[in-house]
Amino acid sequence: MRRDLAAEIVRFAVVGGLGVVVNFAVFNLCRSVTRLPVVRCSVIGTSVAVLVNYLGFRYYAYRDRDKCRPAREFTLFVVFSVIGLAIENGVLYAATYWFGWDTALQSNLFKAVGLAAATGFRFWVYRTWVFRRHGSSHPPEHSPPQSDFDKTRP
């Protein structure tokens, strides 16, 4: 694995780990102090975590990426985050309403399963489409290779 990709994964994991803590804390707090349905509590937790994650990704994990079009970046982040929210909470919805698994332990377990499924999707789309490299008109893995001449230039 390339060193820069490994460092990117670590930074993504740090921000994501903070997001997971926020997500589960808000979810369980909402579930314990309100009468809201479990999936609605989960959507609230996910939404708060998405806001925390955006700040962490923009100013820590992907701070070196292109900042020329912040409105586009934020819009894409929100769109892809909503898709991730649907993946994460779709698993919880199915467990709760299709199978009747609604204890606190079961809800947290299936929320974690949904979160894991959504995390792979989020990593790929955030690095490829949202937080793009400076001057890149293509996703990072589709960038044209550098010539030997380009490698020797400062």
Side-chain angles (χ1 to χ4, degrees), residues 38-39 86-101 110:
V38 67
V39 175
I87 294 168
E88 175 183 336
N89 292 290
V91 172
L92 180 61
Y93 180 92
T96 303
Y97 297 109
W98 296 353
F99 298 103
W101 297 327
F110 287 102

Side-chain angles (χ1 to χ4, degrees), residues 1-14 60-61:
M1 181 179 335
R2 292 187 350 237
R3 185 176 294 187
D4 57 333
L5 179 59
E8 180 181 342
I9 290 171
V10 168
R11 289 189 309 269
F12 185 90
V14 167
Y60 174 66

Side-chain angles (χ1 to χ4, degrees), residues 40-99:
R40 192 166 302 157
C41 289
S42 182
V43 168
I44 292 168
T46 303
S47 299
V48 173
V50 163
L51 293 174
V52 169
N53 284 351
Y54 178 76
L55 296 173
F57 289 138
R58 168 44 42 226
Y59 297 106
Y60 174 66
Y62 295 113
R63 67 184 176 271
D64 61 332
R65 300 290 175 95
D66 188 7
K67 295 178 184 127
C68 295
R69 298 182 299 188
R72 177 191 177 279
E73 173 187 281
F74 186 73
T75 301
L76 286 173
F77 184 84
V78 169
V79 167
F80 290 132
S81 293
V82 167
I83 295 168
L85 181 145
I87 294 168
E88 175 183 336
N89 292 290
V91 172
L92 180 61
Y93 180 92
T96 303
Y97 297 109
W98 296 353
F99 298 103

